[in-house]
Amino acid sequence: MEQRATGLLRAKGLRSTAQRRAVLTALDGHPHSTAAELESRIGVAADASPSAGSLSRQGLYNVLDDLARARLIRCIEPAGSPTRYELRVGDNHHHLVCRSCGRIEDVDCTVGHAPCLTPENDRGFAVDEAEIIWWGVCADCRPARG
């Protein structure tokens, strides 16, 4: 993933820093990660020195912001949950969220091309994305809820 991360960053006109590559690598295979989960995976230090190539907590948030603005990662914000980050961008997929355990699953867009939903009145907007979150109880939690 490290080399792929370098290519992705350069394709978006971003410098390929160790911190940015670390975040992209930490997200690989871990969709819907929170900043705290990424922090744990990367090993963020409270007193990290950017010159040493390590990542501080504030640095992590700065990198996440940079990557989201460049559309290298996607942020989702389910109600009552911290912001989640994922590498799957550009395909306008949606999400299922379990009310019991918080598990999040991707749901592919099934109607046409992005944004795959058309507002009745776009009020002059050039709509290019739709975000839907379906809430329910996953199969693992249903028996426990009776």
Side-chain angles (χ1 to χ4, degrees):
M1 176 60 182
E2 183 98 9
Q3 284 187 341
R4 191 172 133 227
T6 295
L8 291 170
L9 290 162
R10 289 187 178 152
K12 292 291 187 171
L14 295 175
R15 287 185 318 119
S16 177
T17 64
Q19 294 87 353
R20 288 173 176 165
R21 289 190 311 271
V23 171
L24 289 171
T25 300
L27 279 169
D28 190 36
H30 301 280
H32 316 122
S33 293
T34 64
E37 290 166 344
L38 291 170
E39 187 175 323
S40 173
R41 221 172 280 130
I42 295 168
V44 171
D47 58 352
S49 163
S51 61
S54 54
L55 191 59
S56 67
R57 179 170 290 143
Q58 183 59 52
L60 172 62
Y61 283 101
N62 292 343
V63 167
L64 289 169
D65 187 51
D66 290 344
L67 297 176
R69 275 190 279 114
R71 293 184 173 228
L72 283 171
I73 63 172
R74 180 177 178 185
C75 307
I76 62 168
E77 300 179 54
S81 173
T83 301
R84 307 293 180 130
Y85 302 91
E86 64 183 339
L87 291 174
R88 189 174 171 187
V89 295
D91 66 352
N92 197 220
H93 67 281
H94 307 296
H95 297 95
L96 288 162
V97 179
C98 179
R99 290 185 190 279
S100 186
C101 69
R103 181 172 126 199
I104 301 173
E105 294 290 338
D106 290 340
V107 177
D108 290 329
C109 193
T110 59
V111 180
H113 55 80
C116 81
L117 297 170
T118 305
E120 184 176 309
N121 181 346
D122 65 19
R123 305 196 190 290
F125 282 70
V127 178
D128 61 8
E129 185 175 359
E131 185 172 312
I132 303 295
I133 296 178
W134 286 278
W135 293 87
V137 179
C138 72
D140 293 338
C141 293
R142 262 196 322 265
R145 290 187 94 182

